[in-house]
Amino acid sequence: MTTSTQIKLAFVGCGGIAQAHWRGIKTRAPQLKVTATIDVDPARASELAEQTGGQPFPSLETALAQCDFEAVDIMLPHNMHDGAAVLAIRAGKHVVLEKPMATTLDACDRILAAAKEAGTVFMVAEQSQ
């Protein structure tokens, strides 16, 4: 007999790419449970929260302080990737980051160093529909 472990996930960025990730989770990854949807646009965070069953938040900092999740799926503008990834990793969260990893090699190095130090899982995703 096998048992599946549910992984609580926060969506960071609730724009168009988040819909593609949500479709994939619904159809291919039932072990993932979205518990937080994070976006500076409250309407987008709320809309995705209604779809996923998660709780909407205006910032990653707020969600880290108030919500329970083990991992984050970062789908932000490229220039915001390293800040969000490092913040989540330093909080002990596993991170999947929509490509590109970052906009500079220094930013990539910061992300990789944080993940190595924290011992968390870090990966870069490229989705296709």
Side-chain angles (χ1 to χ4, degrees):
M1 178 168 87
T2 62
T3 59
S4 82
T5 302
Q6 191 171 65
I7 299 169
K8 295 175 186 170
L9 179 68
F11 272 15
V12 183
C14 299
I17 198 69
Q19 291 296 325
H21 284 224
W22 175 234
R23 281 191 303 275
I25 287 170
K26 284 192 308 186
T27 60
R28 304 277 183 193
Q31 71 277 20
L32 296 177
K33 178 180 180 180
V34 176
T35 59
T37 57
I38 303 160
D39 201 288
V40 295
D41 180 337
R44 284 198 309 208
S46 292
E47 180 182 328
L48 194 56
E50 287 180 25
Q51 292 175 30
T52 64
Q55 182 179 354
F57 292 95
S59 71
L60 178 55
E61 294 85 354
T62 304
L64 287 167
Q66 298 178 9
C67 194
D68 180 27
F69 51 90
E70 291 91 29
V72 298
D73 185 351
I74 299 174
M75 301 164 283
L76 295 171
H78 304 155
N79 65 326
M80 299 174 74
H81 284 186
D82 66 315
V86 170
L87 179 64
I89 290 166
R90 288 186 177 154
K93 308 304 179 189
H94 304 291
V95 171
V96 59
L97 177 61
E98 181 64 36
K99 58 100 179 120
M101 184 174 172
T103 56
T104 67
L105 290 176
D106 286 340
C108 293
D109 288 342
R110 284 191 295 275
I111 295 168
L112 293 172
K116 183 176 181 179
E117 182 178 321
T120 57
V121 174
F122 169 73
M123 66 172 279
V124 177
E126 178 178 0
Q127 61 82 34
S128 63
Q129 297 183 12

